[in-house]
């Protein structure tokens, strides 16, 4: 947010200084935007490298790599897939399972993993056929507190072999009480 406000401020300054030369102002604004996007990309890549290093340094303490995956709400699918594959490779090297975030992209994530490592699908919301395929291949799905009011999630649980189904609270995000922040105490409800 800070970077966005600084960028907006920079654009305003350009507009003011070059108000008599709109073409030049537009060209400078575009260069500011490109520079900002490149800077964000470099920072993200550096963060990813740091995360990868932390995982490797703490390999013995780590139970799984994740939460990694893809989300239909995020725009850059190619970039998501590239990062996802990178962390799958790391998990495979370390012989660790993965925890997958696959909001709206459950099939794509399953196909990318392709049984290379054991996986657990966090807050699974995909269809029943894929859930069965995931479980039949030795992977896991987690059911969140959405089961308290989602008919889809209730039907999933009724129609699956529960041996590879786990429960999770996803605190503080998904609460069994609509409109409230989730807390671990809600697990007992």
């Amino acid at each position: 947010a800070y970077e966005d406000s600084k960028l907006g401020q920079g654009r305003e300054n350009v507009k003011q200084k070059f108000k008599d030369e709109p073409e030049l102002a537009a060209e400078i604004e575009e260069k500011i935007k490109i520079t900002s996007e490149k800077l964000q990309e470099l920072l993200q890549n550096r963060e990813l490298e740091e995360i990868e290093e932390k995982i490797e340094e703490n390999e013995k303490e780590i139970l799984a790599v994740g939460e990694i995956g893809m989300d239909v709400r995020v725009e850059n699918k190619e970039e998501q897939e590239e990062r996802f594959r990178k962390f799958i490779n790391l998990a495979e090297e370390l012989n660790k399972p993965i925890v997958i975030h696959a909001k709206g992209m459950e099939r794509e994530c399953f196909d990318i993993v392709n049984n290379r490592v054991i996986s657990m699908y966090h807050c699974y919301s995909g269809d029943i056929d894929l859930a069965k395929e995931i479980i039949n291949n030795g992977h896991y799905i987690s059911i969140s507190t959405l089961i308290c009011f989602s008919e889809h999630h209730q039907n999933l649980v009724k129609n699956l072999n529960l041996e590879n189904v786990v429960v999770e609270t996803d605190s503080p995000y998904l609460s069994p009480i609509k409109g409230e922040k989730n807390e671990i105490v809600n697990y007992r409800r």
Side-chain angles (χ1 to χ4, degrees):
Y2 174 76
E3 288 301 321
D4 290 341
S5 69
K6 294 290 277 181
L7 181 60
Q9 190 177 21
R11 287 181 176 158
E12 273 309 307
N13 289 341
V14 168
K15 285 179 186 176
Q16 288 299 320
K17 286 186 179 191
F18 297 98
K19 60 184 171 194
D20 296 332
E21 300 178 60
E23 293 87 17
L24 181 57
E27 185 180 325
I28 292 170
E29 278 187 57
E30 186 60 27
K31 287 182 180 178
I32 289 171
K33 179 181 174 202
I34 291 169
T35 302
S36 173
E37 289 171 357
K38 187 66 177 169
L39 178 61
Q40 286 178 338
E41 181 183 326
L42 289 170
L43 288 172
Q44 286 175 344
N45 288 338
R46 178 146 186 229
E47 287 172 1
L48 289 174
E49 288 171 12
E50 288 175 9
I51 292 168
E52 191 172 1
E53 287 172 14
K54 289 278 186 208
I55 291 170
E56 289 170 340
E57 289 168 8
N58 297 287
E59 173 187 355
K60 289 181 173 48
E61 289 81 32
I62 292 174
L63 299 177
V65 174
E67 180 177 318
I68 60 174
M70 298 171 63
D71 192 315
V72 73
R73 299 171 298 183
V74 179
E75 290 179 11
N76 193 334
K77 183 180 175 191
E78 294 79 22
E79 188 176 309
Q80 288 184 72
E81 184 175 331
E82 180 183 322
R83 290 176 182 175
F84 185 41
R85 288 180 185 279
K86 181 176 185 169
F87 282 103
I88 292 169
N89 291 340
L90 178 60
E92 193 173 34
E93 280 175 33
L94 301 176
N95 196 29
K96 300 285 183 184
I98 59 175
V99 179
I100 299 177
H101 174 96
K103 178 88 174 163
M105 301 190 78
E106 292 86 356
R107 170 52 70 187
E108 290 89 339
C109 287
F110 181 76
D111 291 344
I112 290 168
V113 172
N114 195 22
N115 291 323
R116 291 172 46 202
V117 293
I118 299 293
S119 59
M120 196 273 297
Y121 285 73
H122 152 74
C123 289
Y124 185 81
S125 290
D127 65 63
I128 186 76
D129 292 331
L130 180 58
K132 287 178 179 179
E133 191 175 350
I134 289 168
I135 289 169
N136 289 340
N137 278 280
H139 304 283
Y140 299 83
I141 66 167
S142 76
I143 300 294
S144 73
T145 54
L146 290 174
I147 194 169
C148 296
F149 45 83
S150 165
E151 191 175 314
H152 172 71
H153 290 86
Q154 292 166 6
N155 286 332
L156 279 172
V157 171
K158 286 178 188 172
N159 293 292
L160 291 173
N161 175 353
L162 298 181
E163 191 164 317
N164 286 40
V165 176
V166 297
V167 295
E168 69 171 294
T169 63
D170 201 29
S171 279
Y173 304 107
L174 298 177
S175 176
I177 304 157
K178 283 190 176 185
E180 286 188 21
K181 182 175 151 182
N182 196 10
E183 296 182 24
I184 196 70
V185 72
N186 290 333
Y187 178 73
R188 289 193 163 155
R189 290 188 177 175

